Structures are given as structure tokens and as C-alpha cells.
Amino acid sequence: MDTNPRYELIIYWSNDDHAFIVEVPELPGCMADGDTYQEAVANAEQVIQEWIETARSLGRDIPTPKGRLLFA
């Protein structure tokens, strides 16, 4: 298993949550947060691994990381 998947992360500050939020658009529902930017990214890395492990255990497809996503 790739311990450093290269999924795109979208990171932003949430005034409502008073935390940095990280979304992983290629993995539906995969999000994390943290009090600092670094904490949010570290939490996202953990959640990505858990998302992949859960998908595997359920026999679901795991998307191949595409890297940078472009939106029109």
C-alpha cells in the first residue's frame, strides 16, 4: 500500500469552525480539520489512509490519484 498517496488536498480556513479544513475531492466524503495548517494536513493524511482501508475492506474501488485537478 502506498503510504504517501498523492491525492489533491484543498485547504482553507473556516471561520465557523475556527479551524483549517482539508477536503480530498477524489475521495468522496474524505475531509479533515486541525487547529493549524500542519495539523490539518497530518490529520488528512491519516483520514486518507483510513478511507482507503475502509474502501478495501468493503471491496470498493480506490481512485488512482490524478494529482492537480482542473476546473473549468
Side-chain angles (χ1 to χ4, degrees):
M1 172 164 63
D2 186 355
T3 59
N4 186 17
R6 288 160 176 78
Y7 291 103
E8 179 181 42
L9 304 179
I10 298 174
I11 306 165
Y12 57 92
W13 175 258
S14 170
N15 284 325
D16 292 338
D17 299 311
H18 302 287
F20 284 93
I21 307 296
V22 181
E23 296 179 7
V24 187
E26 294 175 88
L27 304 177
C30 189
M31 300 178 71
D33 65 8
D35 291 334
T36 66
Y37 186 96
Q38 293 79 5
E39 180 182 338
V41 171
N43 290 342
E45 290 172 349
Q46 180 63 40
V47 170
I48 289 168
Q49 291 303 324
E50 291 171 2
W51 193 103
I52 291 169
E53 290 169 12
T54 300
R56 273 202 184 105
S57 72
L58 296 173
R60 295 188 178 157
D61 290 334
I62 299 166
T64 301
K66 292 182 175 86
R68 184 170 179 226
L69 301 179
L70 299 177
F71 298 95

